[in-house]
Amino acid sequence: MTDFDKKVKKLSKEFQIPEGYDKRVREALDSIPDDDIQPDHRRGSLLVKIVAAMICLCLIGGLLISRAQSSEASLIHDFRESIMDFFGINQKQSEELGVDSQKEESVSKPDLMLELQEKVIDSQRIYLMVKITAPTNVAFADNIGFDYFCFCRGENYDTNQLLSGATSCDLLEIMPGKENVATYVVSLTSDQELAEGDSVTVSFKDLKVDPYGEEPEMLVEGMWSISFNIDYTVAEEISLKGTDDMVYPFVDTTAKLVRLKLTPLGLTVVSDVSNVDQDALGVSDTRIEMRLRMIDGSQYLVDSHDLEKETIVSSGSVEYTMKKNKTYQKSTFCFEDAILVEQVLGIYLEDCYIPFKDIE
């Protein structure tokens, strides 16, 4: 043990608590009156005030919301609210064409509020009308759009489930009196059949000024998605299977119609092109001159070898598949304006006429 430790031990033994110390401490504690310790009533009082304030805020908020809704109702009186206007279809024409739409609910997202208002769908085409409410500092214009938009199978954005054929996202209208509110029509023309009942998600990324220009300007950064179900809204269509006599000229040989589907929104033609060498398909003109023959004697040009000719198509795609040693070409077209299927007598594939009706 060191000298320092010995001194500490000696001091601890010699240190004495004064006599009567404990008694004096108890007397001091007993001398404090009970009334000096007051319960804290501030918490209860504060709670009452908070509840009262919340009730007042709710009443004021309800009044403001009702006034805002009334004001917005007057603002959107002239605001286009139907995707049918996009096709130039009124209620009567809608019934004649066999094209309907479905109303959808709104979806709130950070920084933007997206409302999927209506959808028009057939087995290979989707049109969605989406109302977008941006922050008040954003004023929509023709050159404002999304940097990226796409369709995916399922209920979430998933790059592994992308649907090919997203064709356009066009500004339809800006709300009068509210430049930060606009509607867009986003569309898809798919090479594959869209099965009724399947879930699909449409996604949008980064709202920009001149998104495809040399110097795009970011307005609202983010990713927004809305999910919906594939429910066909197109009732009228013509479907037929090809026969051995439905043969037409194709790339210095012939091709044969396998199946065809015509709806008010577009046309799909599948042909057997096995007579053409695989290598030739990649370098040859594989367009098929297609013309719809109408009851009034007119013809609508769907596709042509002459790219200068005006057609009724806004977009289209061609897909090749192999099955059982045969090669098939699928041509899918989306019409710029909806047509009346009942007025179509038949179709020309090059010089081969295929009737839909027996009227001559």
Side-chain angles (χ1 to χ4, degrees):
M1 182 179 293
T2 65
D3 292 339
F4 177 80
D5 293 337
K6 291 178 180 179
K7 290 180 181 180
V8 171
K9 186 174 181 181
K10 180 180 179 183
L11 286 172
S12 65
K13 289 181 178 181
E14 295 176 351
F15 181 75
Q16 299 293 328
I17 296 175
E19 186 177 353
Y21 176 80
D22 294 340
K23 181 180 179 182
R24 288 197 297 272
V25 171
R26 286 195 299 271
E27 288 176 353
L29 292 174
D30 292 339
S31 67
I32 300 175
D34 293 338
D35 293 340
D36 288 351
I37 304 175
Q38 297 293 334
D40 189 356
H41 295 289
R42 290 177 297 175
R43 290 189 179 180
S45 174
L46 181 59
L47 182 60
V48 171
K49 291 179 181 178
I50 291 174
V51 172
M54 290 179 64
I55 292 173
C56 291
L57 287 173
C58 289
L59 292 173
I60 294 171
L63 179 62
L64 291 175
I65 290 172
S66 64
R67 288 182 178 177
Q69 289 176 340
S70 175
S71 175
E72 183 174 353
S74 63
L75 282 171
I76 65 174
H77 178 72
D78 297 323
F79 186 62
R80 186 179 299 171
E81 289 215 351
S82 176
I83 195 174
M84 292 304 181
D85 293 338
F86 180 73
F87 298 105
I89 303 174
N90 58 34
Q91 182 63 35
K92 183 178 179 181
Q93 291 172 325
S94 172
E95 295 174 359
E96 292 175 346
L97 290 170
V99 178
D100 197 4
S101 71
Q102 293 180 346
K103 303 288 184 181
E104 293 292 329
E105 300 298 327
S106 64
V107 177
S108 180
K109 299 291 181 182
D111 302 318
L112 291 183
M113 181 170 177
L114 276 63
E115 300 177 40
L116 179 52
Q117 293 191 313
E118 290 187 65
K119 55 188 181 183
V120 174
I121 302 175
D122 68 12
S123 59
Q124 288 188 259
R125 282 156 283 265
I126 299 174
Y127 291 89
L128 304 178
M129 189 174 79
V130 182
K131 179 180 174 182
I132 301 171
T133 302
T136 54
N137 64 329
V138 174
F140 281 103
D142 291 336
N143 64 338
I144 291 179
F146 291 96
D147 184 53
Y148 174 74
F149 64 93
C150 67
F151 291 80
C152 303
R153 296 188 185 276
E155 298 181 354
N156 297 288
Y157 171 71
D158 185 352
T159 55
N160 295 320
Q161 296 293 326
L162 283 176
L163 281 169
S164 62
T167 52
S168 63
C169 182
D170 297 327
L171 176 67
L172 180 61
E173 190 123 4
I174 301 171
M175 179 180 286
K178 283 193 173 183
E179 294 183 336
N180 66 315
V181 182
T183 55
Y184 283 77
V185 174
V186 57
S187 61
L188 174 138
T189 303
S190 174
D191 294 333
Q192 304 299 321
E193 191 91 357
L194 300 169
E196 197 162 15
D198 283 357
S199 294
V200 173
T201 296
V202 59
S203 299
F204 308 87
K205 184 179 185 299
D206 294 344
L207 187 67
K208 294 183 176 181
V209 177
D210 197 18
Y212 305 119
E214 294 182 358
E215 297 181 358
E217 176 188 348
M218 180 72 72
L219 291 176
V220 185
E221 186 175 4
M223 189 81 171
W224 302 269
S225 298
I226 301 177
S227 298
F228 59 95
N229 289 329
I230 296 295
D231 300 311
Y232 297 160
T233 61
V234 178
E236 299 294 327
E237 68 173 41
I238 294 174
S239 297
L240 61 84
K241 291 184 177 181
T243 59
D244 290 339
D245 60 338
M246 295 180 181
V247 178
Y248 59 89
F250 183 78
V251 190
D252 299 328
T253 179
T254 59
K256 184 173 69 173
L257 179 68
V258 176
R259 64 179 181 274
L260 176 151
K261 179 181 286 187
L262 174 68
T263 78
L265 304 181
L267 173 69
T268 301
V269 176
V270 179
S271 301
D272 182 350
V273 295
S274 302
N275 290 340
V276 181
D277 184 80
Q278 289 284 327
D279 295 333
L281 286 175
V283 296
S284 303
D285 176 13
T286 58
R287 291 176 178 269
I288 307 165
E289 179 151 322
M290 302 183 193
R291 291 169 286 133
L292 297 177
R293 181 186 175 193
M294 311 304 290
I295 287 178
D296 62 4
S298 63
Q299 294 186 8
Y300 293 164
L301 183 62
V302 178
D303 200 10
S304 172
H305 300 284
D306 185 353
L307 300 180
E308 298 299 322
K309 288 187 177 180
E310 187 174 348
T311 70
I312 62 171
V313 170
S314 62
S315 63
S317 63
V318 176
E319 179 193 24
Y320 293 96
T321 57
M322 294 281 295
K323 188 175 181 180
K324 295 181 179 179
N325 296 324
K326 288 185 175 293
T327 305
Y328 299 95
Q329 175 178 292
K330 177 190 282 188
S331 302
T332 305
F333 302 97
C334 184
F335 297 149
E336 190 168 5
D337 297 303
I339 68 169
L340 190 60
V341 171
E342 292 182 350
Q343 298 294 315
V344 182
L345 285 178
I347 185 172
Y348 286 95
L349 300 180
E350 297 291 350
D351 59 359
C352 175
Y353 177 67
I354 300 169
F356 296 154
K357 303 177 186 297
D358 295 330
I359 302 174
E360 291 292 345

